[in-house]
Amino acid sequence: MTDIEIAESVKPKKIRDVAKTLGLKSRELIQFGNLKAKINKKINPRPDAKLVLVTAINPTSAGIGKTTVSIGIADALHGLGESVCLALREPSLGPVFGVKGGATGGGKSQVIPMADINLHFNGDFHAITSANNLLCAMIDNHIYQGNELNIDPNNILFHRCLDLNDRALRSVTVSQTKIEKPRQDEFTITAASEIMAIMCLAKDINDLKRRLGNIIVALNTRGKPVYAKDLHIADAMAILLKDAMQPNLVQTLEGTPAIVHLGPFANIAHGCNSINATKLSMTLSKYTITEAGFGADLGAEKFLDLKCRVAGLKPNCVVLVATIQALKLHGGANKQDLKTENMDALKLGIGNLLRHIDIIQNVYKLPLVVTLNEYTSDSANEVNFVLNTLDKIGCEYAINDAWALGGVGAQDLAKKVMALCDTDNSSFEFSYKTEDSVETKINDICKRIYGANKAVFTEKAQKSLEVINKLKLEHLPIIIAKTQYSLSDNPKLLGAPKDFDVTIRDIEIRGGAEFLVALAGDMMLMPGLSKTPAGVNMKITNSGKISGLF
């Protein structure tokens, strides 16, 4: 059965009944039909709340299954009678119609209604796109209407966005009127926009308006920053975004509550769901199972170094997901031969897993359990090699089969998660200090997390550093936009590469989100489509039944 056929075979609970299991009252629920709702409740995490972060090794074309494992752990805890809630990220339409596909799990570990969550989920991304582009329209209109703020058209820092992969929008010409001089601009995918980041980090409407107003939209002709608040548009943007600020409630196939809200794309954005969603889950349940995008070098790094720093969070346990097939690909195996035992490739590829273990245990100093997703094609020799390697370094582990069995298949993992949540996490520390220079912070991430020799700054990046220092923004935290496929900035360097530098080609300012984005290697903020995008395989019948979406 396909994922959608499995989902359709299950009769879901009504969302108001799911809400009751979290102690939510009807007045705290804004329903979108019987299966979806937004939550309007005061956030106050319970004293015994436990936060579990699920991350993974660097992804491969064979997949990893991080979201599936997150759902499996939550279903397992739910089945064991524990108070639990998922806190996941919303999917972006870019990957849905591109290569990666949807982001609602798979097999018997899914969140539903999957089509609704993957497409237009309660209008959140549309609201962000509209607010973003409203600000862009105001910038250009201000210039057209006389440019009282003396905005330098060659130094506009805020760009339009769209929630689709479209490489043709990486470079566009705008303002082609008889009065204005045409200028070059670019689009960002909505998930990587500053508005998305602000929505994920804002505490409430007042904080949202403050952050929106502090967006640096451009420099004026004297090199001074021009803010969104100078255009008097922050309130209008907040009006567009007020409903999207409220986290969304759905459920798993087993009826476990799931809060799904914002924040995909850990390779080019900060890749975490909203702080409000995570803290709301910690308000409503003892165990919050959340995920960060891609590997520990991207999603987990940004979750721990940025989100936890801003929100004052500290995970009680980290789950690191790996598969035998992915490890063999990291060791140079042919994708067509992954079902064949290949010990040589596995011995080379396991270095990637060991590097991610090192990041969590020795850089961030957090309790960790590794989990292998079970595949029938994995040989006993391959599984035993990985488990013996983990035994030698004293790392906790569990095999799970959440995809095929749902929560039952992840009960051993869930029990180890519960045990680790009761251990000491007070040694947690960040990988860099915000008071250090921008160059030092970027080098700390590149060396301590990626294992690089150093960061190399291009001439363009050095000019950006001059602007950042001139504007006295060097204290801001760092986000590095980097390929997800490698620990390096080269997607072809798999496994655990050594003796490499990371090229920083530019650094962008996010004044409202209050961080800096360093662009590493060839990473683009607007992805492109593949030769055969997933969208071409999607079908819909006269009765409205969808196929090929997942």
Side-chain angles (χ1 to χ4, degrees):
M1 295 175 71
T2 65
D3 287 350
I4 199 162
E5 287 171 337
I6 292 171
E8 288 174 345
S9 70
V10 174
K11 184 177 181 180
K13 297 179 181 178
K14 291 186 176 180
I15 199 65
R16 64 173 179 266
D17 294 328
V18 176
K20 287 178 183 177
T21 66
L22 292 173
L24 286 165
K25 299 177 174 62
S26 57
R27 67 174 181 272
E28 297 169 328
L29 214 60
I30 304 165
Q31 288 193 216
F32 287 67
N34 286 323
L35 300 180
K36 302 176 295 178
K38 281 190 170 290
I39 304 172
N40 183 15
K41 180 178 175 63
K42 186 177 179 180
I43 295 170
N44 184 24
R46 51 193 278 181
D48 64 342
K50 305 292 185 182
L51 179 61
V52 179
L53 171 64
V54 182
T55 185
I57 63 173
N58 291 101
T60 69
S61 55
I64 299 294
K66 174 169 52 62
T67 303
T68 301
V69 170
S70 302
I71 297 166
I73 295 170
D75 280 339
L77 291 170
H78 184 68
L80 291 169
E82 298 293 335
S83 168
V84 61
C85 184
L86 274 161
L88 302 178
R89 302 168 302 146
E90 285 186 49
S92 161
L93 290 181
V96 168
F97 293 116
V99 174
K100 186 173 177 287
T104 52
K108 292 190 175 180
S109 289
Q110 299 182 46
V111 285
I112 51 174
M114 59 193 317
D116 296 45
I117 295 169
N118 279 298
L119 308 172
H120 310 293
F121 192 29
N122 291 354
D124 291 348
F125 279 34
H126 294 306
I128 291 170
T129 302
S130 297
N132 183 103
N133 295 341
L134 170 63
L135 178 54
C136 290
M138 292 294 291
I139 296 167
D140 286 314
N141 183 64
H142 182 86
I143 295 171
Y144 178 85
Q145 299 291 352
N147 200 4
E148 182 182 338
L149 296 171
N150 293 316
I151 293 172
D152 181 356
N154 296 315
N155 268 311
I156 293 177
L157 306 178
F158 192 84
H159 308 293
R160 289 167 171 82
C161 72
L162 184 70
D163 189 36
L164 288 171
N165 292 1
D166 192 345
R167 66 171 54 82
L169 296 179
R170 288 174 180 169
S171 179
V172 297
T173 304
V174 299
S175 299
Q176 299 185 69
T177 70
K178 293 180 179 179
I179 297 175
E180 298 171 281
K181 184 180 291 186
R183 66 176 179 85
Q184 291 300 116
D185 203 352
E186 61 194 61
F187 274 69
T188 296
I189 193 165
T190 298
S193 68
E194 183 169 3
I195 306 297
M196 175 66 78
I198 287 172
M199 290 285 284
C200 289
L201 298 171
K203 294 180 292 187
D204 51 35
I205 285 292
N206 286 333
D207 190 32
L208 175 68
K209 289 196 296 183
R210 179 187 68 81
R211 288 175 178 272
L212 292 172
N214 286 340
I215 294 172
I216 301 176
V217 299
L219 301 180
N220 66 19
T221 51
R222 293 180 299 158
K224 300 290 184 181
V226 179
Y227 297 93
K229 59 190 173 188
D230 296 328
L231 296 167
H232 308 291
I233 195 63
D235 274 78
M237 295 166 69
I239 290 168
L240 284 173
L241 295 167
K242 65 180 181 64
D243 293 334
M245 275 282 287
Q246 297 172 319
N248 306 294
L249 179 65
V250 287
Q251 64 187 297
T252 71
L253 292 178
E254 298 184 17
T256 305
I259 295 173
V260 181
H261 196 224
L262 310 178
F265 274 55
N267 54 347
I268 59 177
H270 80 291
C272 304
N273 69 342
S274 71
I275 289 174
N276 281 346
T278 301
K279 286 192 169 182
L280 179 60
S281 178
M282 296 173 72
T283 300
L284 300 172
S285 63
K286 179 178 179 180
Y287 291 98
T288 289
I289 313 299
T290 193
E291 62 169 345
F294 296 120
D297 59 321
L298 285 168
E301 185 274 316
K302 292 161 184 174
F303 184 97
L304 298 168
D305 276 325
L306 179 72
K307 180 173 178 175
C308 288
R309 200 188 301 258
V310 172
L313 296 170
K314 184 189 298 183
N316 298 90
C317 168
V318 177
V319 178
L320 178 61
V321 183
T323 70
I324 297 289
Q325 291 190 3
L327 292 174
K328 289 194 290 190
L329 279 175
H330 274 290
N334 189 313
K335 185 181 178 181
Q336 309 306 319
D337 298 326
L338 291 181
K339 293 183 179 180
T340 303
E341 182 179 294
N342 188 338
M343 296 303 297
D344 290 337
L346 185 57
K347 289 175 182 178
L348 284 173
I350 200 168
N352 188 269
L353 173 60
L354 295 176
R355 180 66 192 144
H356 285 281
I357 291 171
D358 179 67
I359 291 169
I360 299 301
Q361 289 188 328
N362 298 323
V363 178
Y364 296 110
K365 297 179 170 54
L366 285 169
L368 170 72
V369 56
V370 171
T371 186
L372 282 179
N373 285 334
E374 187 171 337
Y375 283 78
T376 56
S377 60
D378 297 341
S379 75
N381 286 335
E382 291 172 330
V383 174
N384 288 334
F385 171 74
V386 174
L387 300 188
N388 288 337
T389 301
L390 296 174
D391 276 328
K392 287 177 183 177
I393 63 173
C395 183
E396 286 280 358
Y397 60 81
I399 296 175
N400 83 85
D401 196 5
W403 188 92
L405 302 176
V408 172
Q411 281 199 359
D412 183 37
L413 173 59
K415 290 174 182 177
K416 292 192 173 180
V417 164
M418 290 170 65
L420 283 174
C421 280
D422 290 330
T423 61
D424 184 17
N425 67 342
S426 61
S427 297
F428 170 61
E429 60 183 47
F430 304 117
S431 74
Y432 63 84
K433 299 176 181 177
T434 52
E435 59 265 29
D436 286 340
S437 69
V438 176
E439 297 99 317
T440 298
K441 287 183 281 200
I442 291 174
N443 267 293
D444 281 346
I445 296 172
C446 290
K447 292 176 182 179
R448 301 189 70 196
I449 306 299
Y450 308 155
N453 295 328
K454 63 182 183 299
V456 177
F457 297 85
T458 66
E459 184 178 348
K460 187 176 183 181
Q462 289 171 353
K463 288 181 179 178
S464 295
L465 281 170
E466 291 174 7
V467 173
I468 290 165
N469 292 330
K470 185 178 179 180
L471 297 178
K472 301 187 184 304
L473 297 174
E474 60 269 20
H475 64 283
L476 293 177
I478 299 294
I479 290 297
I480 298 184
K482 179 186 76 69
T483 178
Q484 67 269 34
Y485 298 114
S486 172
L487 285 159
S488 74
D489 58 353
N490 179 354
K492 295 181 180 179
L493 285 181
L494 304 182
K498 298 179 180 179
D499 195 25
F500 64 92
D501 296 333
V502 174
T503 300
I504 303 299
R505 76 171 196 275
D506 198 7
I507 305 170
E508 298 189 352
I509 299 169
R510 301 286 188 265
E514 298 175 351
F515 59 70
L516 304 173
V517 180
L519 304 178
D522 296 326
M523 208 66 210
M524 300 287 184
L525 299 185
M526 170 55 81
L529 292 169
S530 63
K531 187 173 183 179
T532 308
V536 304
N537 297 316
M538 296 179 188
K539 307 293 180 187
I540 184 168
T541 66
N542 289 337
S543 62
K545 186 172 182 178
I546 298 171
S547 64
L549 180 58
F550 313 105

